[in-house]
């Protein structure tokens, strides 16, 4: 597709995924991208949004887990810097899974990340209803509302 680049970012044991991806986005000037990844973590921290309180509950993961699915996006935050929003499904040794918003993850032995840059610049704005910083299509495309297919 015109205007798209694909990057492979391979993380090694001991790398913290959020810090590494934040640094990569800043160094390459990524302002809009989607990502997917698989691999494993030696430990991680997930979070779940309590809609009533608008606070995140922390879900500590203090064990080796498979990263069965890691998906998300990179968009420019209100400060003009790349902001990551990632969700993970982590598989335990017994086959059960944990899922949520990824706050941190320490890689062991590897994490294979594929980033696809978008030609459109995604921007985040504070959403008054949730108090969260969310992608605003109006700010990104000049159009209001939500796009659907």
């Amino acid at each position: 597709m015109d205007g798209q680049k694909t990057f492979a970012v391979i993380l090694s044991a001991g790398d913290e995924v959020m810090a590494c991806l934040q640094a990569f986005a800043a160094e390459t000037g990524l302002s809009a991208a989607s990502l997917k990844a698989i691999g494993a973590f030696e430990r991680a921290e997930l979070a779940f949004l309590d809609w009533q309180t608008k606070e995140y509950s922390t879900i500590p993961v203090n064990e080796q887990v498979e990263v069965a699915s890691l998906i998300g996006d990179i968009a420019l935050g209100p400060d003009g810097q790349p902001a990551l929003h990632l969700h993970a499904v982590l598989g335990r040794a017994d086959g059960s899974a944990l899922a949520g918003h990824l706050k941190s993850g320490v890689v062991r032995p590897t994490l294979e990340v594929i980033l696809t840059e978008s030609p459109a610049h995604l921007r985040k704005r504070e959403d008054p209803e949730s108090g969260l910083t969310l992608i605003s299509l109006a700010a990104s495309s000049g159009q209001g509302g939500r796009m659907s297919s």
Side-chain angles (χ1 to χ4, degrees):
M1 289 188 179
D2 189 37
Q4 287 187 330
K5 291 181 189 175
T6 300
F7 302 91
V9 179
I10 310 303
L11 302 182
S12 300
D15 289 340
E16 198 291 309
V17 66
M18 298 301 280
C20 290
L21 292 179
Q22 186 70 43
F24 180 83
E27 289 168 14
T28 58
L30 278 177
S31 62
S34 62
L35 68 85
K36 57 187 174 185
I38 57 171
F41 292 148
E42 69 178 58
R43 67 181 181 278
E45 187 173 297
L46 301 174
F48 185 84
L49 179 66
D50 180 326
W51 184 251
Q52 299 303 315
T53 65
K54 308 295 190 273
E55 298 285 328
Y56 280 96
S57 301
T58 300
I59 305 165
V61 181
N62 295 310
E63 62 191 280
Q64 181 74 27
V65 290
E66 292 287 328
V67 178
S69 177
L70 179 64
I71 60 172
D73 59 54
I74 298 173
L76 290 181
D79 61 359
Q81 297 300 310
L84 285 87
H85 182 198
L86 306 179
H87 286 211
V89 178
L90 306 178
R92 291 177 154 159
D94 66 2
S96 65
L98 297 165
H101 179 85
L102 184 67
K103 292 179 72 177
S104 68
V106 178
V107 174
R108 184 172 63 190
T110 190
L111 187 71
E112 301 164 351
V113 182
I114 304 300
L115 286 145
T116 303
E117 184 177 37
S118 171
H121 294 283
L122 300 179
R123 283 226 173 253
K124 292 192 176 224
R125 301 271 167 111
E126 187 169 328
D127 174 55
E129 183 180 3
S130 67
L132 301 173
T133 306
L134 306 174
I135 292 176
S136 168
L137 292 178
S140 303
S141 66
Q143 299 175 16
R146 301 201 180 271
M147 296 174 70
S148 61
S149 54

